[in-house]
Amino acid sequence: NMLQFLEKEREGGATKLKFNVEKVKLKDDIWLTNMIGEFECDHIRCFKGKLSSNIGSRSVNVDLAANDNQEKWSIKCTNAGALLRGLDMYNSMRAGNLTLDMVTSRKEVKPGYIIPIHKGTFVFDRFVLHNAKMLTRLVSLISLPGLLDLITGKSDIAFQKMSGNFSFRNGVLSVEDSYASGPY
């Protein structure tokens, strides 16, 4: 019953939305718990807000701010692998920290269409690609640690950091100036 946790107020043309949800089930039995959110919206978009939740013993935080016709979203998660699996975005990452900043513009999009991401940056820290057989084979050809992993049958690759810039428009994800570092 949404009325038990949803509070909606209207002040000066803005709608204030506050909620507290105990559990949200994502894919693969991954749970967001103790989700607390607060957003301010007008008739077109939300222009200010924050959301915090736990994902296992780790955290997920989302902040939203707006300037003119653009929204700036900032997402921080201390269990990036679980979040990506739970959202059915990527299944091979384990653990890791995620920082994702992106600028969107809802004004440019028609109702029912995906909002374009004009520019974004991503940083993943201390994560593992699990069961990445093809990547492990490729890396094993050019590094001694990779060759040892190939011989022992290990198919996980640990990374210290991966970062880059991206955009998403008209159904096309563009990744630019990305960099990854690890033992390979």
Side-chain angles (χ1 to χ4, degrees):
N1 184 351
M2 289 194 57
L3 295 177
Q4 292 179 349
F5 67 86
L6 190 63
E7 177 184 326
K8 181 179 172 183
E9 300 173 8
R10 192 148 181 94
E11 289 180 10
T15 299
K16 292 185 177 184
L17 180 66
K18 296 179 184 181
F19 57 90
N20 186 342
V21 180
E22 188 176 320
K23 291 182 179 181
V24 175
K25 185 177 181 181
L26 303 177
K27 290 259 190 181
D28 290 344
D29 287 326
I30 295 171
W31 290 87
L32 294 177
T33 58
N34 303 320
M35 181 184 293
I36 299 170
E38 187 172 327
F39 289 90
E40 291 184 42
C41 308
D42 58 24
H43 67 284
I44 297 175
R45 65 189 172 125
C46 291
F47 53 85
K48 181 180 177 184
K50 60 185 175 182
L51 180 136
S52 63
S53 184
N54 295 326
I55 186 163
S57 62
R58 304 300 181 121
S59 65
V60 178
N61 293 292
V62 178
D63 290 306
L64 166 65
N67 290 331
D68 297 323
N69 293 328
Q70 295 184 326
E71 301 92 30
K72 181 177 180 186
W73 294 86
S74 180
I75 302 167
K76 295 183 188 290
C77 180
T78 56
N79 191 346
L83 181 64
L84 294 175
R85 275 192 324 278
L87 296 174
D88 201 23
M89 295 176 74
Y90 189 70
N91 293 323
S92 295
M93 183 181 287
R94 299 294 183 260
N97 299 315
L98 164 66
T99 301
L100 180 69
D101 293 311
M102 57 190 161
V103 175
T104 64
S105 179
R106 191 172 300 270
K107 197 158 191 134
E108 294 179 21
V109 71
K110 296 176 185 173
Y113 286 84
I114 296 174
I115 300 166
I117 299 170
H118 294 288
K119 61 183 176 179
T121 60
F122 63 89
V123 177
F124 291 96
D125 288 311
R126 297 183 311 275
F127 66 96
V128 173
L129 292 185
H130 175 68
N131 207 15
K133 292 177 184 175
M134 180 60 93
L135 187 56
T136 302
R137 286 185 189 133
L138 178 65
V139 169
S140 69
L141 297 175
I142 58 173
S143 72
L144 183 58
L147 184 58
L148 292 174
D149 284 348
L150 184 65
I151 292 169
T152 61
K154 183 178 176 186
S155 61
D156 290 351
I157 299 179
F159 287 89
Q160 282 299 108
K161 184 175 186 176
M162 182 170 79
S163 62
N165 302 314
F166 71 97
S167 64
F168 184 79
R169 293 183 188 211
N170 301 321
V172 176
L173 174 65
S174 300
V175 178
E176 302 167 349
D177 301 321
S178 66
Y179 173 83
S181 64
Y184 303 112

